[in-house]
Amino acid sequence: MSRVCSVCGKGQQTGHLVSHSKIRTNRTFRPNVQKIAYVKDGKVVTGYVCARCMKSIERA
């Protein structure tokens, strides 16, 4: 599954998991993307859209 929003381009980010002893290990932060149909330039398009963009775009 694509982990990139087709509206805003939001994708995976990296960071650290920090334990109680302050040891840092790598981890990834993935956006909440869902496959929906939405209207773009007057046409119905299907794509992966993040939760923030779902609130702002017109859905089909």
Side-chain angles (χ1 to χ4, degrees):
M1 178 175 138
S2 173
R3 291 280 185 179
V4 178
C5 177
S6 60
V7 176
C8 67
K10 181 188 287 187
Q12 180 172 292
Q13 292 185 333
T14 58
H16 289 103
L17 256 172
V18 182
S19 69
H20 181 70
S21 63
K22 305 293 192 281
I23 295 173
R24 288 164 169 81
T25 56
N26 294 330
R27 64 156 293 181
T28 58
F29 296 93
R30 294 186 177 140
N32 180 13
V33 292
Q34 308 292 325
K35 189 174 185 179
I36 64 165
Y38 60 97
V39 178
K40 182 177 183 181
D41 299 328
K43 296 181 181 179
V44 176
V45 180
T46 302
Y48 292 99
V49 179
C50 68
R52 182 179 290 182
C53 292
M54 274 194 245
K55 296 178 182 180
S56 62
I57 63 173
E58 183 181 345
R59 294 182 71 167

